[in-house]
Structures are given as structure tokens and as C-alpha cells.
């Protein structure tokens, strides 16, 4: 058993679990007051997140041992499941904050867009790895996978969920860029993307979205309305200093900072654990992203390499958008912090993705440990002391 564990990437096994466990502690700290105000037990969100954590550990363990190459054979099933979930939520989904993004089963809620992120990564990695022989042909090698990508983005925009759509778009870009397409083809895609965004902007501009931009970049002009949330986030971040006020001692979570246990959990971390706590969390996220890139470079299998790139991009892009929102760098889009924020769908998908990347890392490590075959004609010298063969 121990010998088998040595085949895995230790940092990729421990870091996500530590982050998720730390997230449970911070969710409890940030949500106690919110839960009581909502008429629930103070431990309500703690229990819920702990349950999802246990389920996520099972998903992590299963995908860590499940050979990642089999996902190529399951690509049709994965694709159809993602499309069915996204179409179904538009019909049967629960409307929350003017968006139909959730299935509400009573005992639990699921956000299909989270599963669409991982599903699209697997799809793009599988298709582009198969198209390596003619990846330089734009119509045959580059365009076909983009059709499904556009459909998924369209379904998510219909909810509407701009934040998740932006994440999926950037993830797709990272996989496509890493697939080896020509620069001129990449430039064509960028131009097409800019044109589509420009075309869609008039229909996307609403009073609510304008308010998000105003709140992000001019918060002190509307401190009681659009800018209120970001100002409270600033107060939390600034109040923590270097070492923080102490675990559980946040003032802003006491009804001042909305979504303290979800999208703005890093602001609570900054207030309670200070700059030191923020650096540790960001550092652990960086380890995951950088290890993913390293595994991608080491992988001799294009499917595994693109999987690692896509999963790393998913973690990195989502973390960047979340941190950008709480600091005023980006508009608030409702994107959770990976592994840490409250949310079962996000945690489950992230841990399953980490399991897949661990399996890719295992394959890379086993490949590196395979003995190099030696041709007898290449043997140059024999060490009489140890009987070792030296190869040219």
C-alpha cells in the first residue's frame, strides 16, 4: 500500500485536502451568525460543508486510482450528461438571485455549471489529443471542438451566469492554446471571440451589471448601495493586519459583510488570520496550479498533458477571479474560492479534478521510473567491482 502511494504526487494529494479541511473551519467561523439570523443552528453550514467534504474525499480517492485514459472512451457519455444537466436546469432549476443555476433537491443543491467546467476540460483534452496529427488544419483540427464549447457557454449565459461562463471561456482558451495550434489560428480565434463579445455586449448590459462595475471601481461614490459590499471587504482585509484579529474574531462577518462564508471568505480569512493567512492560502493554491503545469510538461501523453493544463487553469482562473472581486480588481461575479468557500458542487468538482490530476501525475512518475532498455551493442564497460554495466 505504501509503495503504491509513493507513485502519487505527494503535494497534489495533501494540499487540496488541507485546503478543503481549512475551508470547513473558516466556513464555520464565517457562517455562525448568518446561520442564526437565517433561523438555523449555528453549525448548519459547518455540517453541510463537512458532508460535502466527506463525499469529495470519496470522489478524490476514486478518481486518483481510476486510469485517466479511460475518460477518452467515456467522452460521449460525459458530453451528453453535461448538456442534459445544463438544459435541464433551465427548465427545472431553482431561481436564485435572478438566475436559474441550481437544482434544488431539498436535502442538497447542485450547480451543473460546476460539473460543466470539468466535463469540458475532459472533452477538449480528448478531442485535441486525437487531432494532433492535423492540429495545424484550422477547419479539421481546431474548429470542431469549439462548436460544443460555444453551446455550453450559450447555455450557461442563458441562466444567466456570467462569472462561470468567463471561467469556462478562459479554461477552454488555455487548453486550446496548449494543444499546439498555429499562432495565426489562435489569432483568428481571438478576433472571432472579440467580435462575438462586442456583438453580445448590448444584450448583456443591464442595470445590475452596470452596478457591479460601479461598485467595483467607484465603491466610495455609492457606499450605501453598489459599493457597500466591496467597502466592507476592504474593512475586513485592512483590519486584519499582518497576523489578524484571531480565529473567530471577525467583526465584518457579524452582519456587515454579505456572502462572508461563500464568495468573500478570503476577506474573513484576512481579518481573522491576517496577511500571513492569506499568503498561506494563496501559496497552497499556487502549489496546485504550478504542479499541474509541471505535470503537463512532463507528460508524454497529449491527453494527460491537456487534462493537467485544463485542471490547473480551472483552479488558477477561479482563484484569480474570486480574489480580484474581493479586492476591487474585478467586478463581483459570485465565483467561490476553490476548496475554501462554502459550496458542495464546487468542492466536489475540485476534489474530483484533483484526483484526475493525481492519476496523471502517477502515470508520469511511473513512466520516469521505468528502466531504460539497453542494447547489448551499446554496452561499453563492465565495472568488475560491482558488475555494473555502463552505457554510452
Amino acid at each position: 500500500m505504501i509503495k503504491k502511494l509513493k507513485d502519487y504526487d505527494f503535494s497534489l494529494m495533501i494540499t487540496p485536502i488541507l485546503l478543503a479541511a481549512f475551508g470547513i473551519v473558516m466556513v464555520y467561523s464565517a457562517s455562525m451568525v448568518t446561520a442564526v439570523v437565517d433561523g438555523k443552528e449555528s453549525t448548519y453550514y459547518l455540517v453541510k460543508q463537512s458532508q460535502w467534504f466527506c463525499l469529495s474525499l470519496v470522489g478524490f480517492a476514486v478518481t486518483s486510482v481510476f486510469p485517466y485514459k479511460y475518460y477518452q472512451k467515456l467522452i460521449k457519455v460525459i458530453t451528453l450528461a453535461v448538456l442534459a444537466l445544463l438544459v435541464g436546469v433551465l427548465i427545472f432549476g431553482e431561481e436564485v438571485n435572478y438566475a436559474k443555476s441550481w437544482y434544488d433537491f431539498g436535502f442538497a443543491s447542485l450547480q451543473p455549471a460546476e460539473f460543466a467546467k470539468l466535463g469540458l476540460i475532459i472533452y477538449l483534452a480528448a478531442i485535441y489529443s486525437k487531432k494532433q496529427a492535423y492540429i495545424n488544419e484550422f477547419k479539421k483540427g481546431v474548429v470542431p471542438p469549439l462548436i460544443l464549447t460555444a453551446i455550453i457557454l450559450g447555455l450557461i449565459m442563458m441562466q444567466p451566469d456570467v462569472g462561470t461562463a468567463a471561467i469556462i471561456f478562459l479554461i477552454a482558451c488555455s487548453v486550446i492554446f496548449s494543444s499546439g495550434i498555429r499562432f495565426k489560428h489562435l489569432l483568428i480565434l481571438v478576433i472571432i471571440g472579440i467580435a462575438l463579445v462586442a456583438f453580445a455586449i448590448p444584450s448583456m448590459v443591464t442595470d445590475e451589471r452596470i452596478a457591479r462595475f460601479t461598485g467595483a471601481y467607484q465603491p466610495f461614490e455609492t457606499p450605501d448601495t453598489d459599493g457597500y459590499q466591496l467597502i466592507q471587504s476592504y474593512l475586513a482585509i485592512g483590519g486584519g493586519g499582518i497576523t489578524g484579529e484571531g480565529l473567530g474574531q471577525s467583526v465584518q462577518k457579524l452582519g456587515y459583510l454579505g456572502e462572508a462564508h461563500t464568495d468573500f471568505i478570503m476577506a474573513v480569512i484576512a481579518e481573522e488570520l491576517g496577511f500571513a493567512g492569506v499568503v498561506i492560502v494563496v501559496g497552497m493554491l499556487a502549489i496546485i496550479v504550478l504542479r499541474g503545469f509541471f505535470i503537463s510538461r512532463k507528460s508524454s501523453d497529449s491527453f494527460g498533458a491537456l487534462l493537467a493544463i485544463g485542471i490547473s487553469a480551472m483552479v488558477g482562473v477561479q482563484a484569480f477571479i474570486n480574489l480580484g472581486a474581493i479586492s476591487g480588481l474585478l467586478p463581483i461575479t459570485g465565483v467561490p474560492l476553490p476548496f475554501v468557500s462554502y459550496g458542495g458542487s464546487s468542492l466536489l468538482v475540485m476534489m474530483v479534478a484533483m484526483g484526475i490530476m493525481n492519476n496523471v501525475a502517477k502515470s508520469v512518475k511511473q513512466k520516469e521510473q521505468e528502466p531504460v532498455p539497453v542494447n547489448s551493442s551499446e554496452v561499453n564497460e563492465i565495472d568488475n567491482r560491482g558488475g555494473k554495466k555502463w552505457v554510452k
Side-chain angles (χ1 to χ4, degrees), residues 366-376 378 389 391-392:
Q366 289 177 337
K367 192 76 174 178
E368 290 177 342
Q369 292 174 349
E370 287 180 0
V372 179
V374 178
N375 191 306
S376 59
E378 294 178 337
K389 295 182 179 180
V391 182
K392 290 182 180 178

Side-chain angles (χ1 to χ4, degrees), residues 1-14 17 59-68 291 294-295 354-369:
M1 180 67 178
I2 296 175
K3 187 177 179 180
K4 290 182 179 180
L5 286 175
K6 288 181 179 179
D7 290 335
Y8 290 93
D9 188 301
F10 183 77
S11 60
L12 277 180
M13 290 193 71
I14 299 300
I17 295 174
F60 175 78
V62 170
T63 51
S64 290
V65 299
F66 186 79
Y68 71 90
R291 287 301 299 168
F294 176 79
I295 291 164
M354 286 298 100
I356 294 173
M357 193 149 73
N358 261 292
N359 194 259
V360 177
K362 175 187 175 184
S363 177
V364 170
K365 198 168 184 179
Q366 289 177 337
K367 192 76 174 178
E368 290 177 342
Q369 292 174 349

Side-chain angles (χ1 to χ4, degrees), residues 212-230:
R212 289 189 179 188
F213 275 91
T214 304
Y217 302 119
Q218 298 175 328
F220 295 101
E221 292 191 5
T222 53
D224 297 324
T225 53
D226 302 335
Y228 176 83
Q229 179 74 355
L230 184 58

Side-chain angles (χ1 to χ4, degrees), residues 15-41:
T15 307
I17 295 174
L18 288 178
L19 267 176
F22 171 74
I24 292 175
V25 175
M26 293 311 304
V27 164
Y28 179 49
S29 175
S31 67
M32 287 186 292
V33 174
T34 302
V36 173
V37 170
D38 291 343
K40 303 178 177 70
E41 294 290 332

